[in-house]
């Protein structure tokens, strides 16, 4: 269904019940919207802050149809939504971002091909569907390189490094992935990782938050700092321009994140796109306190066909966001006792290793 | 029940389902708490953001008991809770603020007597239970004066001005109030209205937000500005000190607001206490964007026996909060289009005249 301007009191449907859905729901409530969350797990943290809940599988067509017909617009918190699911949702209510944007960004091969076609650099890549493909891809791209599943990867899951030297047991490697379609990506010797979190609305307007610098630990985002350190204003502007062109080409509606590598070569710096997340993003959590409009409020605005909000940093302050992963969340009491630290916990049960339990944001003296 | 330190994942009970309960619930969710709202009206806006709901009357002892026993602490969004209700709640779970604080602040006579006993000035007042009392009170206090119900008044409801001159038809006036216990309060010739929104925790620590200046229209708060204009730092500090002494004397746990008149006489300024609200307060809504800790987060911290947060203004900016009352909320689209304005809507249905539908906060260049 086509876009429509939602009025306060309307119901926003959110597919996915994790912390991103929960924070979208909180932002929607602050605008006087009702929220209906669709998720398969009855324990999903987003249910606790939603006016309505559907507990059903993502391939339950009847439940999806009922859900979409009961809401005024639908969005989602994760990109691994099957194409058929997206199409059922879109038939019942305006779906933002669109099923097309989802299809392009949920497959690493389609995504990188799309980005290169815009003239925007990525790591070199090759599709890998067989051991022969793998040999050819390594020959073309060189080593080190990273072999990844084309779909359903996140936080380093579904990836395997091909080291700079040594023999490559292609059968063992291919067996490891159990026949999933793969992509080999060249290794980019980056200085730092950055991301642009930005929003585009249906009328084509675009608003980017300031460039984020991201530090990963064990493939999981650990810290985001804003503004990104050691990046020239020109490079930051070119990163935002890349995000704008990607959003434009996808006819995107909502918040997206574009993860990039900052590469320094021969004294000049440039960015290379790593991947696109068609959703609110962990590297944008700092915006809750650190920007005049949070990424969650901004996403709600875009999805409701409302004007985008001001993405400026609050008071021009620098911001640091740290994820609380697994047992780190047990430090909540110390964080609460720390002046100026803003604690966010997601209402999840067990603090399993690698599980994102919350985050803490600190506003720092301006830089 | 005595206080206990709540851990994330605990359930906070909130009595009352209006916008204050809703905003407390949103703040609690952001700390990973579950929220259970108790309110008599199934359409209450706070239900939409709560993990659990009880729809029952405030005098339904069995429902109150079940509710209190199912949560880890209880708080409330309004002071007109019957004493018996508070006692039932307190028997099942730690109740903050306490039943005693509630009893003192929900009755204007008890409240003003308590404040004067602390040596803190209020308007002159007299209890009025009969026409004779009214005559005597007018003779003692002078005119103009305001006759008010001792309990259950808010937003100018349950009040009647006794003008500076003309005859007073005491029988007609007493009949108007239908036998409710009354209080006559002398008129304070104030220059402006201010309030201190502050929190006290069970360990005695205290944190006040900056002094607010409040503008009422038709007895309903229209605008809050922070910092309060034209008030010396000494006067602002003495206002905060008054709030601290009141909170201390009540052994208060939670956020409270102390509304005051600023009086300028013979070139000196002083504050006179108007009333105490034993809860989060409309004049503290600016803290959501304008302070490092919002009044709602601060209240949750106090009620959970957590350390209080930093109440400093974000980036030292000045802040203006405007209520959206009745049809004013229909201007939501223009506010969304305004850079830097933060819109909050409460998810209420009909925009009836005088009904608080939302508010908008604007951060202004620092002053």
């Amino acid at each position: 269904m086509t876009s429509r301007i939602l009025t306060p009191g309307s119901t926003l449907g959110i597919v996915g019940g994790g912390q991103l859905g929960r924070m979208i729901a909180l932002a929607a409530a602050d605008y006087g919207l009702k929220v209906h969350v669709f998720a398969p797990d009855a324990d999903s943290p987003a249910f606790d802050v939603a006016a309505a809940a559907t507990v059903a599988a993502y391939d339950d067509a009847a439940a999806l149809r009922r859900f979409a017909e009961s809401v005024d617009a639908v969005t989602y918190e994760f990109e691994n939504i099957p194409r058929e699911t997206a199409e059922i949702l879109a038939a019942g209510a305006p779906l933002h971002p669109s099923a097309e944007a989802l299809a392009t960004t949920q497959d690493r091969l389609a995504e990188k091909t799309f980005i290169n076609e815009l003239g925007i650099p990525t790591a070199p890549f090759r599709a890998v569907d067989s051991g022969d493909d793998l040999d050819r891809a390594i020959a073309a791209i060189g080593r080190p390189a990273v072999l990844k599943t084309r779909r359903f990867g996140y936080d380093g899951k579904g990836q395997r490094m091909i080291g700079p030297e040594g023999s490559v047991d292609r059968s063992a490697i291919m067996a490891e992935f159990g026949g999933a379609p793969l992509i080999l990506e060249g290794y980019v010797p980056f200085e730092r990782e950055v991301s642009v979190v930005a929003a585009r609305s249906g009328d084509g307007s675009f608003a980017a938050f300031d460039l984020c610098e991201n530090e990963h630990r064990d493939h999981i985002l650990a810290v985001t700092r804003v503004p990104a350190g050691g990046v020239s204003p020109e490079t930051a502007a070119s990163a935002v321009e890349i995000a704008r062109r990607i959003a434009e080409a996808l006819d995107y509606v909502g918040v997206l994140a574009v993860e990039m590598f900052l590469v320094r070569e021969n004294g000049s710096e440039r960015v290379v796109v790593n991947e696109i997340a068609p959703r609110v993003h962990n590297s944008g959590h700092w915006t809750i306190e650190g920007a005049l409009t949070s990424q969650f409020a901004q996403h709600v605005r875009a999805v409701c066909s409302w004007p985008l909000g001001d993405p400026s940093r609050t008071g021009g302050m620098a911001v640091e966001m740290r994820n609380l992963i697994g047992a780190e969340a047990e430090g909540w009491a110390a964080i609460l006792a720390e002046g100026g630290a803003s604690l966010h916990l997601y209402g999840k049960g067990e603090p399993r290793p690698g599980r994102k339990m919350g985050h803490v944001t600190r506003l720092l003296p301006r830089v």
Side-chain angles (χ1 to χ4, degrees), chain A:
Chain A
M1 292 183 69
T2 53
S3 289
R4 60 167 90 111
I5 297 175
L6 267 63
T7 52
S10 300
T11 299
L12 176 64
I14 300 175
V15 178
Q19 68 269 19
L20 300 180
R22 180 174 167 109
M23 289 187 276
I24 296 169
L26 292 173
D30 209 13
Y31 284 134
L33 296 165
K34 289 185 192 292
V35 169
H36 186 159
V37 170
F38 186 111
D41 179 353
D43 273 340
S44 299
F47 285 142
D48 286 345
V49 296
T54 296
V55 181
Y58 293 130
D59 60 0
D60 182 338
L64 289 165
R65 212 168 286 124
R66 272 196 309 275
F67 166 74
E69 282 166 5
S70 75
V71 301
D72 299 294
V74 180
T75 190
Y76 43 87
E77 61 150 18
F78 69 116
E79 58 270 44
N80 294 324
I81 293 179
R83 169 136 212 141
E84 307 68 45
T85 301
E87 282 165 359
I88 294 170
L89 293 170
L95 176 71
H96 300 299
S98 68
E100 295 71 31
L102 200 53
T104 303
T105 55
Q106 71 186 182
D107 180 294
R108 293 181 195 280
L109 184 64
E111 180 179 85
K112 286 201 160 59
T113 304
F114 160 78
I115 295 167
N116 283 179
E117 282 171 0
L118 293 175
I120 296 168
T122 62
F125 62 90
R126 288 291 183 284
V128 173
D129 290 313
S130 67
D132 284 350
D133 284 349
L134 181 58
D135 286 344
R136 278 191 292 265
I138 291 174
I141 288 171
R143 293 167 63 176
V146 190
L147 191 63
K148 301 179 177 178
T149 55
R150 283 186 210 157
R151 299 186 55 168
F152 305 119
Y154 69 97
D155 287 351
K157 292 179 175 55
Q159 312 202 359
R160 186 196 200 290
M161 192 79 181
I162 309 285
E165 47 201 37
S167 65
V168 172
D169 183 345
R170 54 180 245 185
S171 321
I173 291 172
M174 293 308 290
E176 228 173 73
F177 285 98
L182 303 176
I183 181 172
L184 187 74
E185 299 181 0
Y187 176 77
V188 177
F190 60 89
E191 180 189 282
R192 55 188 91 210
E193 293 175 273
V194 297
S195 61
V196 176
V197 179
R200 186 173 179 275
S201 70
D203 68 6
S205 59
F206 177 84
F209 296 101
D210 284 346
L211 189 69
C212 311
E213 179 176 352
N214 303 317
E215 196 182 302
H216 291 80
R217 207 182 303 144
D218 301 332
H219 295 283
I220 301 175
L221 182 66
V223 187
T224 295
R225 293 185 185 87
V226 186
V231 179
S232 72
E234 293 71 28
T235 304
S238 82
V240 168
E241 178 57 18
I242 284 172
R244 199 195 58 72
R245 287 170 55 207
I246 288 172
E248 189 77 31
L250 291 170
D251 195 16
Y252 196 86
V253 175
V255 163
L256 86 172
V258 183
E259 295 184 51
M260 307 178 191
F261 299 121
L262 183 83
V263 178
R264 199 173 297 280
E265 276 168 343
N266 311 322
S268 80
E269 60 184 22
R270 63 190 180 94
V271 290
V272 171
V273 171
N274 180 25
E275 63 181 54
I276 304 166
R279 52 170 170 82
V280 292
H281 191 256
N282 198 165
S283 71
H285 289 1
W286 63 272
T287 60
I288 296 175
E289 290 82 15
L292 292 182
T293 308
S294 80
Q295 68 165 344
F296 304 103
Q298 194 73 300
H299 186 68
V300 170
R301 283 170 173 252
V303 168
C304 290
S305 302
W306 294 346
L308 298 180
D310 185 344
S312 307
R313 267 182 292 131
T314 308
M317 278 180 291
V319 193
E320 183 188 274
M321 186 287 308
R322 279 180 186 270
N323 274 337
L324 299 174
I325 296 168
E328 287 172 356
E330 289 164 11
W332 62 272
I335 294 166
L336 281 173
E338 181 191 329
S342 296
L343 175 70
H344 302 264
L345 293 171
Y346 305 147
K348 296 183 176 178
E350 276 304 290
R352 293 194 299 267
R355 193 174 199 197
K356 291 175 179 170
M357 302 300 292
H359 72 270
V360 54
T361 302
R362 295 176 176 94
L363 300 185
L364 309 171
R366 72 202 53 220
V367 290

